[in-house]
Amino acid sequence: MVSVSMENTSAGTRGAKRSKPARLAPNYWPFVIPALVVISAVIVFPWVFTLWMSAHRWTLGQEQSFIGLENYIRLAGDGRFWESLWHTLIYTVLSVVAPLFLGTLAALVFDAEFPMRGFLRGVFVMPMMATPVAIALVWTMMFHPQLGVLNYLLSFIGIGPLEWIYNQSTVIPSLVLVETWQWTPLVMLIVLGGLAAVPREPYESAEIDGANAWQKFRYLTMPMIAPFLMIAVIIRSIDAVKSFDIIYAMTQGGPGTASETINIYLYNTSFAYYDIGYGSAMAVVFFIAIIALSFVLLMVRQRANWSEMEER
């Protein structure tokens, strides 16, 4: 009787197992579709629409007409566009080199042990927290030739008043000064992260061998923080090449067109002159330039990684 009941029980168990429905593969599409919709609405559609507008002659208030590549051909012969491209290049190079140098120097200083180091670090990174328009307004007042505090301070060391953003020859360096003041702390934080990851054993060996401070920095610190410096270069380059808010708030591209970068020229073309088609063509070319710059910087970063692996 016991064996019969056990057989019945096992048979019932097998039947229950067979009666369960087969487990279906998980379906992730309900979670993916909302993200695809958002990406298409925010990124894909605007760029497709921009490409469509760049192939049309479209001035607000007038009828649209398809012109193909005429806007791009016009762009190639536009001297003002090439001038704005040159301004963008100068502004980008200076806005990368200056924060990179000063940020690395600040990181070396704050990496050392001294009283109130944490508090001074917090003070140093405060410019990053301010909004660009507020920064632009404050620095515009400081740059004023008669009432600005900078010329007042320069008078103590015998330097006459400078025109800063009001002179064509000094406007871009003045804007770079503002950019450097705001974003040097970012480079400092990146380099500090690299210094925190540097092992101390090589420095102890170098001290035993009699290496001085410069030799330790040149042959030990620089090679080990080079990947972090490259990251800072990539971030700053992409950010500087598309800078708009500080430049527009301080100079609107002036005096004349002395500080007119591609972003400013694009904005004026589209929203001051209402030439939407030509401005769209400019936006497409500018987007391709940023993608190319990013690709080059990432390739350099990748090659640096491979060279480090080969050395190891």
Side-chain angles (χ1 to χ4, degrees):
M1 295 294 291
V2 175
S3 61
V4 172
S5 61
M6 291 178 64
E7 290 177 359
N8 292 335
T9 303
S10 60
T13 305
R14 286 195 299 270
K17 289 181 179 179
R18 290 173 184 171
S19 63
K20 288 183 179 180
R23 180 175 295 180
L24 299 176
N27 187 3
Y28 299 108
W29 281 107
F31 302 96
V32 175
I33 290 177
L36 292 176
V37 171
V38 172
I39 291 174
S40 299
V42 175
I43 298 178
V44 177
F45 172 75
W47 274 111
V48 172
F49 189 58
T50 302
L51 284 171
W52 180 83
M53 289 190 296
S54 68
H56 289 73
R57 180 181 290 110
W58 184 5
T59 303
L60 289 184
Q62 301 180 8
E63 293 185 359
Q64 306 170 18
S65 59
F66 180 79
I67 58 175
L69 299 177
E70 186 176 321
N71 282 325
Y72 295 96
I73 297 173
R74 174 187 169 191
L75 198 63
D78 187 352
R80 187 171 174 180
F81 169 75
W82 292 107
E83 182 185 6
S84 66
L85 181 63
W86 175 246
H87 293 160
T88 304
L89 179 63
I90 296 175
Y91 182 85
T92 300
V93 171
L94 294 178
S95 297
V96 171
V97 173
L100 190 68
F101 173 76
L102 296 177
T104 303
L105 181 62
L108 294 172
V109 172
F110 284 115
D111 188 55
E113 295 286 345
F114 57 88
M116 300 181 66
R117 183 180 64 168
F119 171 75
L120 293 176
R121 279 183 181 180
V123 172
F124 194 82
V125 301
M126 286 181 65
M128 293 174 52
M129 305 176 189
T131 58
V133 175
I135 291 173
L137 294 176
V138 172
W139 277 90
T140 299
M141 293 186 289
M142 294 171 62
F143 281 143
H144 195 279
Q146 285 80 37
L147 305 177
V149 67
L150 292 181
N151 281 339
Y152 175 74
L153 295 176
L154 290 177
S155 65
F156 286 103
I157 56 177
I159 299 179
L162 301 179
E163 295 181 339
W164 301 104
I165 59 174
Y166 303 96
N167 187 288
Q168 292 186 354
S169 61
T170 58
V171 60
I172 290 183
S174 300
L175 293 172
V176 170
L177 176 61
V178 180
E179 189 86 3
T180 302
W181 175 82
Q182 184 179 16
W183 295 115
T184 293
L186 175 64
V187 178
M188 182 205 70
L189 292 176
I190 295 173
V191 178
L192 270 178
L195 291 173
V198 169
R200 297 301 172 186
E201 290 80 6
Y203 293 94
E204 296 173 358
S205 301
E207 291 176 358
I208 294 174
D209 293 336
N212 56 34
W214 167 250
Q215 290 172 332
K216 288 187 288 186
F217 174 76
R218 171 66 180 82
Y219 297 105
L220 293 178
T221 305
M222 278 298 295
M224 287 189 284
I225 67 172
F228 296 89
L229 293 176
M230 194 61 210
I231 292 173
V233 169
I234 293 173
I235 295 174
R236 285 299 307 130
S237 298
I238 296 175
D239 186 63
V241 77
K242 61 184 181 63
S243 179
F244 173 82
D245 37 23
I246 286 180
I247 300 175
Y248 188 80
M250 294 184 70
T251 66
Q252 292 83 42
T257 58
S259 64
E260 188 176 65
T261 60
I262 293 181
N263 280 319
I264 303 299
Y265 185 33
L266 191 158
Y267 177 85
N268 289 333
T269 300
S270 301
F271 302 107
Y273 311 141
Y274 303 113
D275 195 344
I276 304 299
Y278 189 50
S280 299
M282 201 179 306
V284 171
V285 172
F286 187 42
F287 176 75
I288 294 173
I290 292 178
I291 293 297
L293 175 63
S294 304
F295 179 77
V296 170
L297 291 174
L298 291 175
M299 286 293 294
V300 173
R301 176 77 177 94
Q302 190 66 23
R303 288 187 178 183
N305 284 342
W306 278 109
S307 63
E308 290 172 11
M309 293 176 63
E310 291 176 358
E311 291 176 359
R312 293 176 184 176

